[in-house]
Amino acid sequence: MKFKELATVSGKPGLYKVLKPTRSGVILEALDEKKSKLVVGASQRVSILSEISIYTTTEEGAIALEDVMKKIEKEFKGDLGVDGTADADELKAFLKHVLPEFDEDRVYASDIKKLITWYQIIRKQVPESLEEVVAEEGADANVESSEDSKEA
């Protein structure tokens, strides 16, 4: 499962798998043990994880949530040492370790709590999402290196 198939609904906890669109919204399935289904109408805000990013102080101004999750998985392999109940300073220190260039003025402790909670849900329910990202990165690097050799 890819990040473009995962969503969050404003005002509802957890993450959801996008099943299919309807005329008036979208059908989602909760990423938990219950696997309950939910029809979300146009009046509710649904955000696809592949479209979410974290503010940075770099020239680009943001980094994709998918890239941050990939960094977390690569470094911690699920053992974060911090959870969503940690205090704000601890959360910021964690994100500073993973993403030193994050914008401390625009990324709030609540955002970091969501990041950690979502990471834990993905790691538990759809760990292949994090693995696919690593596999795709290797494939992309191979494509780029073969394109560079063609240009030379």
Side-chain angles (χ1 to χ4, degrees), residues 5-19 25-31 36-49 52 114 118 121:
E5 299 168 348
L6 300 173
T8 180
V9 180
S10 181
K12 296 205 179 285
L15 292 175
Y16 299 87
K17 175 183 176 183
V18 178
L19 295 179
V26 66
I27 300 173
L28 304 173
E29 179 181 77
L31 287 180
S36 57
K37 291 186 175 48
L38 171 72
V39 178
V40 179
S43 63
Q44 287 181 293
R45 186 170 165 201
V46 176
S47 299
I48 304 300
L49 291 193
I52 297 175
K114 283 182 198 173
W118 292 348
I121 292 170

Side-chain angles (χ1 to χ4, degrees), residues 39-109:
V39 178
V40 179
S43 63
Q44 287 181 293
R45 186 170 165 201
V46 176
S47 299
I48 304 300
L49 291 193
S50 63
E51 297 173 359
I52 297 175
S53 58
I54 295 178
Y55 291 117
T56 63
T57 55
T58 62
E59 215 173 282
E60 294 82 28
I63 184 170
L65 177 68
E66 186 173 359
D67 295 339
V68 175
M69 294 264 192
K70 175 180 68 176
K71 283 183 177 185
I72 293 171
E73 175 64 15
K74 187 175 180 182
E75 186 163 339
F76 294 98
K77 303 279 188 233
D79 185 20
L80 303 180
V82 68
D83 62 8
T85 61
D87 69 351
D89 292 334
E90 214 175 326
L91 293 169
K92 286 192 176 202
F94 168 77
L95 190 57
K96 191 80 162 166
H97 177 76
V98 174
L99 188 66
E101 64 273 8
F102 88 96
D103 189 340
E104 293 186 46
D105 296 331
R106 295 168 68 188
V107 178
Y108 302 108

Side-chain angles (χ1 to χ4, degrees), residues 143-152:
V143 171
E144 288 174 13
S145 63
S146 65
E147 287 175 0
D148 290 342
S149 63
K150 288 178 186 174
E151 291 176 8

Side-chain angles (χ1 to χ4, degrees), residues 130-143:
L130 298 169
E131 293 167 11
E132 286 176 14
V133 172
V134 173
E136 287 174 8
E137 181 183 81
D140 290 344
N142 291 338
V143 171

